[in-house]
PDB file of all heavy atoms in Angstrom:
ATOM      1  N   VAL B 335      85.040  70.203 125.026  1.00 94.00           N
ATOM      2  CA  VAL B 335      83.667  69.849 125.397  1.00 94.00           C
ATOM      3  C   VAL B 335      83.175  68.680 124.559  1.00 94.00           C
ATOM      4  O   VAL B 335      82.581  67.731 125.070  1.00 94.00           O
ATOM      5  CB  VAL B 335      82.743  71.079 125.229  1.00 94.00           C
ATOM      6  CG1 VAL B 335      81.289  70.661 125.182  1.00 94.00           C
ATOM      7  CG2 VAL B 335      82.986  72.073 126.344  1.00 94.00           C
ATOM      8  N   VAL B 336      83.460  68.723 123.254  1.00 95.00           N
ATOM      9  CA  VAL B 336      82.950  67.662 122.391  1.00 95.00           C
ATOM     10  C   VAL B 336      83.704  66.359 122.665  1.00 95.00           C
ATOM     11  O   VAL B 336      83.083  65.304 122.826  1.00 95.00           O
ATOM     12  CB  VAL B 336      83.057  68.081 120.909  1.00 95.00           C
ATOM     13  CG1 VAL B 336      82.725  66.906 120.008  1.00 95.00           C
ATOM     14  CG2 VAL B 336      82.120  69.249 120.642  1.00 95.00           C
ATOM     15  N   ILE B 337      85.010  66.433 122.769  1.00 93.00           N
ATOM     16  CA  ILE B 337      85.775  65.208 122.984  1.00 93.00           C
ATOM     17  C   ILE B 337      85.421  64.579 124.335  1.00 93.00           C
ATOM     18  O   ILE B 337      85.275  63.362 124.451  1.00 93.00           O
ATOM     19  CB  ILE B 337      87.284  65.492 122.864  1.00 93.00           C
ATOM     20  CG1 ILE B 337      87.605  65.771 121.395  1.00 93.00           C
ATOM     21  CG2 ILE B 337      88.122  64.317 123.370  1.00 93.00           C
ATOM     22  CD1 ILE B 337      88.988  66.285 121.158  1.00 93.00           C
ATOM     23  N   ASP B 338      85.213  65.404 125.341  1.00 91.00           N
ATOM     24  CA  ASP B 338      84.860  64.883 126.663  1.00 91.00           C
ATOM     25  C   ASP B 338      83.371  64.558 126.803  1.00 91.00           C
ATOM     26  O   ASP B 338      82.894  64.313 127.898  1.00 91.00           O
ATOM     27  CB  ASP B 338      85.258  65.892 127.754  1.00 91.00           C
ATOM     28  CG  ASP B 338      86.754  65.908 127.990  1.00 91.00           C
ATOM     29  OD1 ASP B 338      87.455  65.123 127.320  1.00 91.00           O
ATOM     30  OD2 ASP B 338      87.219  66.707 128.816  1.00 91.00           O
ATOM     31  N   ARG B 339      82.637  64.590 125.740  1.00 92.00           N
ATOM     32  CA  ARG B 339      81.207  64.290 125.716  1.00 92.00           C
ATOM     33  C   ARG B 339      80.392  65.181 126.637  1.00 92.00           C
ATOM     34  O   ARG B 339      79.340  64.791 127.140  1.00 92.00           O
ATOM     35  CB  ARG B 339      80.956  62.826 126.140  1.00 92.00           C
ATOM     36  CG  ARG B 339      81.626  61.819 125.250  1.00 92.00           C
ATOM     37  CD  ARG B 339      81.674  60.466 125.929  1.00 92.00           C
ATOM     38  NE  ARG B 339      82.665  59.632 125.283  1.00 92.00           N
ATOM     39  CZ  ARG B 339      82.340  58.645 124.433  1.00 92.00           C
ATOM     40  NH1 ARG B 339      81.088  58.368 124.183  1.00 92.00           N
ATOM     41  NH2 ARG B 339      83.289  57.931 123.860  1.00 92.00           N
ATOM     42  N   ALA B 340      80.859  66.368 126.881  1.00 92.00           N
ATOM     43  CA  ALA B 340      80.143  67.243 127.806  1.00 92.00           C
ATOM     44  C   ALA B 340      78.945  67.917 127.146  1.00 92.00           C
ATOM     45  O   ALA B 340      78.275  68.719 127.770  1.00 92.00           O
ATOM     46  CB  ALA B 340      81.091  68.305 128.358  1.00 92.00           C
ATOM     47  N   TYR B 341      78.682  67.600 125.868  1.00 93.00           N
ATOM     48  CA  TYR B 341      77.527  68.205 125.194  1.00 93.00           C
ATOM     49  C   TYR B 341      76.304  67.321 125.308  1.00 93.00           C
ATOM     50  O   TYR B 341      75.224  67.665 124.865  1.00 93.00           O
ATOM     51  CB  TYR B 341      77.851  68.449 123.714  1.00 93.00           C
ATOM     52  CG  TYR B 341      78.171  67.175 122.958  1.00 93.00           C
ATOM     53  CD1 TYR B 341      77.183  66.523 122.232  1.00 93.00           C
ATOM     54  CD2 TYR B 341      79.449  66.623 122.992  1.00 93.00           C
ATOM     55  CE1 TYR B 341      77.472  65.349 121.558  1.00 93.00           C
ATOM     56  CE2 TYR B 341      79.740  65.463 122.333  1.00 93.00           C
ATOM     57  CZ  TYR B 341      78.752  64.815 121.612  1.00 93.00           C
ATOM     58  OH  TYR B 341      79.024  63.653 120.948  1.00 93.00           O
ATOM     59  N   LYS B 342      76.492  66.088 125.843  1.00 91.00           N
ATOM     60  CA  LYS B 342      75.400  65.117 125.852  1.00 91.00           C
ATOM     61  C   LYS B 342      74.449  65.375 127.012  1.00 91.00           C
ATOM     62  O   LYS B 342      74.756  66.149 127.916  1.00 91.00           O
ATOM     63  CB  LYS B 342      75.993  63.718 125.955  1.00 91.00           C
ATOM     64  CG  LYS B 342      76.724  63.301 124.692  1.00 91.00           C
ATOM     65  CD  LYS B 342      77.165  61.889 124.819  1.00 91.00           C
ATOM     66  CE  LYS B 342      77.366  61.267 123.450  1.00 91.00           C
ATOM     67  NZ  LYS B 342      77.605  59.832 123.583  1.00 91.00           N
ATOM     68  N   MET B 551      74.603  68.436 117.381  1.00 96.00           N
ATOM     69  CA  MET B 551      75.504  67.456 118.005  1.00 96.00           C
ATOM     70  C   MET B 551      74.882  66.719 119.195  1.00 96.00           C
ATOM     71  O   MET B 551      74.986  65.494 119.274  1.00 96.00           O
ATOM     72  CB  MET B 551      76.799  68.124 118.436  1.00 96.00           C
ATOM     73  CG  MET B 551      77.828  68.180 117.325  1.00 96.00           C
ATOM     74  SD  MET B 551      79.388  68.770 117.968  1.00 96.00           S
ATOM     75  CE  MET B 551      80.380  68.651 116.511  1.00 96.00           C
ATOM     76  N   VAL B 554      72.455  64.184 117.688  1.00 94.00           N
ATOM     77  CA  VAL B 554      73.168  63.136 116.950  1.00 94.00           C
ATOM     78  C   VAL B 554      73.918  62.229 117.930  1.00 94.00           C
ATOM     79  O   VAL B 554      73.995  61.012 117.752  1.00 94.00           O
ATOM     80  CB  VAL B 554      74.149  63.772 115.946  1.00 94.00           C
ATOM     81  CG1 VAL B 554      75.006  62.716 115.270  1.00 94.00           C
ATOM     82  CG2 VAL B 554      73.393  64.578 114.905  1.00 94.00           C
ATOM     83  N   GLY B 555      74.437  62.833 118.997  1.00 93.00           N
ATOM     84  CA  GLY B 555      75.231  62.095 119.973  1.00 93.00           C
ATOM     85  C   GLY B 555      74.482  60.970 120.677  1.00 93.00           C
ATOM     86  O   GLY B 555      75.094  60.121 121.317  1.00 93.00           O
ATOM     87  N   ARG B 556      73.152  60.977 120.551  1.00 93.00           N
ATOM     88  CA  ARG B 556      72.387  59.914 121.217  1.00 93.00           C
ATOM     89  C   ARG B 556      72.567  58.574 120.537  1.00 93.00           C
ATOM     90  O   ARG B 556      72.433  57.530 121.149  1.00 93.00           O
ATOM     91  CB  ARG B 556      70.892  60.260 121.181  1.00 93.00           C
ATOM     92  CG  ARG B 556      70.523  61.342 122.156  1.00 93.00           C
ATOM     93  CD  ARG B 556      69.025  61.515 122.145  1.00 93.00           C
ATOM     94  NE  ARG B 556      68.675  62.843 122.587  1.00 93.00           N
ATOM     95  CZ  ARG B 556      67.559  63.461 122.252  1.00 93.00           C
ATOM     96  NH1 ARG B 556      66.690  62.865 121.466  1.00 93.00           N
ATOM     97  NH2 ARG B 556      67.309  64.665 122.707  1.00 93.00           N
ATOM     98  N   TRP B 557      72.833  58.603 119.217  1.00 92.00           N
ATOM     99  CA  TRP B 557      72.983  57.326 118.514  1.00 92.00           C
ATOM    100  C   TRP B 557      74.318  56.677 118.861  1.00 92.00           C
ATOM    101  O   TRP B 557      75.242  57.353 119.354  1.00 92.00           O
ATOM    102  CB  TRP B 557      72.868  57.543 117.001  1.00 92.00           C
ATOM    103  CG  TRP B 557      71.454  57.769 116.597  1.00 92.00           C
ATOM    104  CD1 TRP B 557      70.441  56.857 116.663  1.00 92.00           C
ATOM    105  CD2 TRP B 557      70.898  58.987 116.100  1.00 92.00           C
ATOM    106  NE1 TRP B 557      69.269  57.434 116.241  1.00 92.00           N
ATOM    107  CE2 TRP B 557      69.511  58.749 115.888  1.00 92.00           C
ATOM    108  CE3 TRP B 557      71.393  60.256 115.825  1.00 92.00           C
ATOM    109  CZ2 TRP B 557      68.647  59.709 115.403  1.00 92.00           C
ATOM    110  CZ3 TRP B 557      70.538  61.210 115.330  1.00 92.00           C
ATOM    111  CH2 TRP B 557      69.167  60.932 115.135  1.00 92.00           C
ATOM    112  N   ARG B 558      74.374  55.396 118.526  1.00 90.00           N
ATOM    113  CA  ARG B 558      75.520  54.611 118.963  1.00 90.00           C
ATOM    114  C   ARG B 558      76.832  55.202 118.416  1.00 90.00           C
ATOM    115  O   ARG B 558      77.794  55.387 119.149  1.00 90.00           O
ATOM    116  CB  ARG B 558      75.359  53.164 118.484  1.00 90.00           C
ATOM    117  CG  ARG B 558      76.182  52.147 119.248  1.00 90.00           C
ATOM    118  CD  ARG B 558      75.610  50.747 119.040  1.00 90.00           C
ATOM    119  NE  ARG B 558      75.457  50.439 117.628  1.00 90.00           N
ATOM    120  CZ  ARG B 558      76.454  49.975 116.871  1.00 90.00           C
ATOM    121  NH1 ARG B 558      77.621  49.736 117.403  1.00 90.00           N
ATOM    122  NH2 ARG B 558      76.258  49.729 115.605  1.00 90.00           N
ATOM    123  N   LEU B 559      76.814  55.508 117.122  1.00 94.00           N
ATOM    124  CA  LEU B 559      78.045  56.047 116.538  1.00 94.00           C
ATOM    125  C   LEU B 559      78.043  57.573 116.510  1.00 94.00           C
ATOM    126  O   LEU B 559      78.913  58.197 115.914  1.00 94.00           O
ATOM    127  CB  LEU B 559      78.217  55.506 115.121  1.00 94.00           C
ATOM    128  CG  LEU B 559      78.503  54.014 115.069  1.00 94.00           C
ATOM    129  CD1 LEU B 559      78.522  53.518 113.626  1.00 94.00           C
ATOM    130  CD2 LEU B 559      79.839  53.712 115.737  1.00 94.00           C
ATOM    131  N   GLY B 560      77.010  58.139 117.160  1.00 94.00           N
ATOM    132  CA  GLY B 560      76.835  59.589 117.090  1.00 94.00           C
ATOM    133  C   GLY B 560      78.027  60.354 117.606  1.00 94.00           C
ATOM    134  O   GLY B 560      78.472  61.321 116.989  1.00 94.00           O
ATOM    135  N   HIS B 561      78.571  59.920 118.708  1.00 95.00           N
ATOM    136  CA  HIS B 561      79.683  60.673 119.286  1.00 95.00           C
ATOM    137  C   HIS B 561      80.886  60.676 118.353  1.00 95.00           C
ATOM    138  O   HIS B 561      81.519  61.695 118.126  1.00 95.00           O
ATOM    139  CB  HIS B 561      80.067  60.078 120.643  1.00 95.00           C
ATOM    140  CG  HIS B 561      81.235  60.792 121.252  1.00 95.00           C
ATOM    141  ND1 HIS B 561      81.158  62.086 121.669  1.00 95.00           N
ATOM    142  CD2 HIS B 561      82.517  60.393 121.488  1.00 95.00           C
ATOM    143  CE1 HIS B 561      82.339  62.464 122.147  1.00 95.00           C
ATOM    144  NE2 HIS B 561      83.175  61.449 122.043  1.00 95.00           N
ATOM    145  N   ARG B 562      81.143  59.485 117.784  1.00 95.00           N
ATOM    146  CA  ARG B 562      82.265  59.424 116.838  1.00 95.00           C
ATOM    147  C   ARG B 562      82.019  60.353 115.666  1.00 95.00           C
ATOM    148  O   ARG B 562      82.933  61.038 115.185  1.00 95.00           O
ATOM    149  CB  ARG B 562      82.430  58.007 116.306  1.00 95.00           C
ATOM    150  CG  ARG B 562      83.049  57.140 117.336  1.00 95.00           C
ATOM    151  CD  ARG B 562      83.708  55.966 116.722  1.00 95.00           C
ATOM    152  NE  ARG B 562      84.221  55.128 117.791  1.00 95.00           N
ATOM    153  CZ  ARG B 562      84.505  53.863 117.639  1.00 95.00           C
ATOM    154  NH1 ARG B 562      84.330  53.292 116.465  1.00 95.00           N
ATOM    155  NH2 ARG B 562      84.979  53.175 118.639  1.00 95.00           N
ATOM    156  N   PHE B 563      80.768  60.339 115.216  1.00 95.00           N
ATOM    157  CA  PHE B 563      80.432  61.221 114.104  1.00 95.00           C
ATOM    158  C   PHE B 563      80.717  62.673 114.475  1.00 95.00           C
ATOM    159  O   PHE B 563      81.326  63.421 113.710  1.00 95.00           O
ATOM    160  CB  PHE B 563      78.962  61.049 113.721  1.00 95.00           C
ATOM    161  CG  PHE B 563      78.491  62.034 112.685  1.00 95.00           C
ATOM    162  CD1 PHE B 563      78.743  61.822 111.338  1.00 95.00           C
ATOM    163  CD2 PHE B 563      77.825  63.195 113.058  1.00 95.00           C
ATOM    164  CE1 PHE B 563      78.336  62.743 110.384  1.00 95.00           C
ATOM    165  CE2 PHE B 563      77.416  64.116 112.116  1.00 95.00           C
ATOM    166  CZ  PHE B 563      77.664  63.885 110.773  1.00 95.00           C
ATOM    167  N   ASN B 564      80.293  63.055 115.681  1.00 96.00           N
ATOM    168  CA  ASN B 564      80.476  64.437 116.109  1.00 96.00           C
ATOM    169  C   ASN B 564      81.955  64.826 116.176  1.00 96.00           C
ATOM    170  O   ASN B 564      82.347  65.895 115.712  1.00 96.00           O
ATOM    171  CB  ASN B 564      79.833  64.660 117.475  1.00 96.00           C
ATOM    172  CG  ASN B 564      78.323  64.765 117.362  1.00 96.00           C
ATOM    173  OD1 ASN B 564      77.804  65.059 116.286  1.00 96.00           O
ATOM    174  ND2 ASN B 564      77.631  64.503 118.448  1.00 96.00           N
ATOM    175  N   VAL B 565      82.730  63.923 116.774  1.00 96.00           N
ATOM    176  CA  VAL B 565      84.156  64.235 116.903  1.00 96.00           C
ATOM    177  C   VAL B 565      84.793  64.358 115.523  1.00 96.00           C
ATOM    178  O   VAL B 565      85.531  65.307 115.235  1.00 96.00           O
ATOM    179  CB  VAL B 565      84.873  63.165 117.754  1.00 96.00           C
ATOM    180  CG1 VAL B 565      86.382  63.397 117.731  1.00 96.00           C
ATOM    181  CG2 VAL B 565      84.358  63.204 119.176  1.00 96.00           C
ATOM    182  N   SER B 566      84.445  63.395 114.630  1.00 96.00           N
ATOM    183  CA  SER B 566      85.073  63.490 113.310  1.00 96.00           C
ATOM    184  C   SER B 566      84.562  64.720 112.555  1.00 96.00           C
ATOM    185  O   SER B 566      85.321  65.342 111.807  1.00 96.00           O
ATOM    186  CB  SER B 566      84.866  62.228 112.469  1.00 96.00           C
ATOM    187  OG  SER B 566      83.889  61.417 113.024  1.00 96.00           O
ATOM    188  N   LEU B 567      83.293  65.063 112.771  1.00 96.00           N
ATOM    189  CA  LEU B 567      82.770  66.270 112.124  1.00 96.00           C
ATOM    190  C   LEU B 567      83.560  67.499 112.563  1.00 96.00           C
ATOM    191  O   LEU B 567      83.995  68.312 111.739  1.00 96.00           O
ATOM    192  CB  LEU B 567      81.289  66.455 112.479  1.00 96.00           C
ATOM    193  CG  LEU B 567      80.677  67.770 111.997  1.00 96.00           C
ATOM    194  CD1 LEU B 567      80.448  67.737 110.497  1.00 96.00           C
ATOM    195  CD2 LEU B 567      79.375  68.078 112.723  1.00 96.00           C
TER     196      LEU B 567
END
Side-chain angles (χ1 to χ4, degrees):
Chain B
V335 162
V336 172
I337 289 170
D338 285 359
R339 300 164 198 257
Y341 61 96
K342 290 185 157 188
M551 274 188 177
V554 174
R556 285 186 204 155
W557 285 293
R558 201 160 53 84
L559 292 174
H561 178 67
R562 285 203 183 160
F563 173 81
N564 284 339
V565 173
S566 14
L567 173 74

